Amino acid sequence: MDSIAAPELEALVDRYYEPGDLTRKRQSYLASYARVLSGRRNEALAILELGVSSGASLLCWRDYLPNATIIGIDIAAPPERILGQDRIVVIRGSQDDPLTLDKAAQAAGRPFDLIVDDASHIGYLAKRSMHYLFPRWLAPGGWYVIEDFGTGFLPEYPDGTAFSQPDWTDAQPGTREFHSSQFGMVGVVKQLIDHIMQDVMTGTPSYLAIKRLVVEGNIAFIEKAATPGGAWPGYITHAPRPRAEVESPPTAPLVASPVPPVVQATLANHADRIGELERVIGSLRKILAPALRLRRLMRR
């Protein structure tokens, strides 16, 4: 994606992020966001960000998009600086909880034009969020963004592993499979190619109606097609739901579907463990922050 200068976004980031805040959005991210939002800044957009942290990002979106409604989701209590702020709503809950995601959409009052996943950076949680939000609560033509998917290359993460360069020696006659890392969020992003190709290869569109996938350094932008996708396969739980209970994504006007009791029970049983895992990951990121920063500097 061709990026454009984003001086206004950069100024807002400088204003709202504290020095040394590792959740600060990179300059390259800001340029790409400016490109995606070009020509739409004054529209009454609906923005959802998974992961609130200090609240700086929500404040940046609010000021950059003067008529937008900004919704944030986080497992932790919202910081005081964003409480009572105009056009900002924070919902406390896990990024993979359908009830929480439905509440966010209801607070916005419409499908989202931009959804940003900057939450746990753990593959299965990121995938569950997209599995539910993309077909159900992302507007056609909207963008779904996965930030910092490179955690799949960090052994410090529960689903990450050390980075290794792709094997160039496999360019041989008879080679059918070209191996690469599938760990964590890296694997989640790579699977999106399969969704894009499903319609081409089978004639049946994926439930993720992806028009375009743009992968940049540590961030992926996924544009939703205007044409509807295939049937939604259903809720992700530890036990598959009966076929009769599987629902398709709602068509406009969108209305939140009730979550079946069996799914509510499953989510309740695992919510505490998911929340504790996200808190541990947050603490781990803070502890390892100096070492990770040093490693990045040494690689430049």
Side-chain angles (χ1 to χ4, degrees), residues 59-82:
L59 293 169
C60 290
W61 292 131
R62 182 202 60 182
D63 291 3
Y64 189 69
L65 304 169
N67 298 308
T69 299
I70 316 299
I71 311 295
I73 290 177
D74 203 288
I75 196 73
E80 292 187 6
R81 68 188 300 199
I82 58 175

Side-chain angles (χ1 to χ4, degrees), residues 206-228:
S206 166
Y207 72 98
L208 298 179
I210 299 174
K211 176 182 179 180
R212 178 166 41 160
L213 168 64
V214 182
V215 180
E216 301 178 351
N218 212 23
I219 188 170
F221 290 81
I222 306 102
E223 183 181 9
K224 186 172 181 177
T227 55

Side-chain angles (χ1 to χ4, degrees), residues 204-278:
T204 302
S206 166
Y207 72 98
L208 298 179
I210 299 174
K211 176 182 179 180
R212 178 166 41 160
L213 168 64
V214 182
V215 180
E216 301 178 351
N218 212 23
I219 188 170
F221 290 81
I222 306 102
E223 183 181 9
K224 186 172 181 177
T227 55
W232 187 59
Y235 295 92
I236 299 177
T237 63
H238 290 280
R241 298 178 62 209
R243 181 177 296 274
E245 294 184 51
V246 177
E247 306 167 32
S248 298
T251 55
L254 292 176
V255 178
S257 301
V259 180
V262 62
V263 178
Q264 294 187 38
T266 301
L267 292 171
N269 289 337
H270 295 278
D272 290 340
R273 280 187 286 176
I274 292 173
E276 181 61 27
L277 177 60
E278 291 181 343

Side-chain angles (χ1 to χ4, degrees), residues 18-292:
E18 296 293 333
D21 187 345
L22 291 179
T23 67
R24 177 189 177 104
K25 295 190 186 299
R26 298 169 58 183
Q27 188 176 24
S28 60
Y29 292 10
L30 302 180
S32 295
Y33 278 122
R35 176 73 175 181
V36 166
L37 296 169
S38 177
R40 303 195 66 187
R41 287 185 55 190
N42 292 318
E43 295 182 23
L45 301 175
I47 311 296
L48 172 63
E49 180 141 10
L50 307 177
V52 172
S53 189
S54 69
S57 181
L58 303 187
L59 293 169
C60 290
W61 292 131
R62 182 202 60 182
D63 291 3
Y64 189 69
L65 304 169
N67 298 308
T69 299
I70 316 299
I71 311 295
I73 290 177
D74 203 288
I75 196 73
E80 292 187 6
R81 68 188 300 199
I82 58 175
L83 294 179
Q85 291 282 350
D86 183 41
R87 296 185 291 111
I88 293 179
V89 177
V90 178
I91 297 173
R92 189 172 183 181
S94 181
Q95 72 173 100
D96 70 329
D97 176 12
L99 294 175
T100 298
L101 302 179
D102 283 341
K103 287 179 183 178
Q106 291 164 1
R110 49 161 294 180
F112 294 103
D113 301 286
L114 174 67
I115 299 176
V116 179
D117 184 351
D118 189 20
S120 66
H121 304 295
I122 297 174
Y124 87 92
L125 290 172
K127 186 171 181 175
R128 286 186 173 192
S129 298
M130 187 174 186
H131 170 84
Y132 193 81
L133 287 169
F134 192 95
R136 186 175 290 262
W137 292 123
L138 182 64
W143 289 86
Y144 196 103
V145 183
I146 301 176
E147 291 192 2
D148 304 330
F149 64 78
T151 53
F153 291 127
L154 295 177
E156 300 90 341
Y157 269 72
D159 58 356
T161 188
F163 175 83
S164 61
Q165 293 185 349
D167 180 13
W168 60 272
T169 65
D170 60 0
Q172 303 292 338
T175 302
R176 299 179 58 197
E177 184 174 2
F178 298 87
H179 296 279
S180 64
S181 176
Q182 296 292 331
F183 285 84
M185 292 178 71
V186 173
V188 172
V189 171
K190 290 181 179 181
Q191 283 185 343
L192 297 178
I193 296 175
D194 297 348
H195 285 283
I196 293 174
M197 291 301 297
Q198 179 176 322
D199 190 16
V200 176
M201 303 310 298
T202 69
T204 302
S206 166
Y207 72 98
L208 298 179
I210 299 174
K211 176 182 179 180
R212 178 166 41 160
L213 168 64
V214 182
V215 180
E216 301 178 351
N218 212 23
I219 188 170
F221 290 81
I222 306 102
E223 183 181 9
K224 186 172 181 177
T227 55
W232 187 59
Y235 295 92
I236 299 177
T237 63
H238 290 280
R241 298 178 62 209
R243 181 177 296 274
E245 294 184 51
V246 177
E247 306 167 32
S248 298
T251 55
L254 292 176
V255 178
S257 301
V259 180
V262 62
V263 178
Q264 294 187 38
T266 301
L267 292 171
N269 289 337
H270 295 278
D272 290 340
R273 280 187 286 176
I274 292 173
E276 181 61 27
L277 177 60
E278 291 181 343
R279 284 189 288 271
V280 169
I281 293 298
S283 300
L284 184 62
R285 292 178 70 184
K286 293 179 180 178
I287 294 171
L288 294 173
L292 294 176

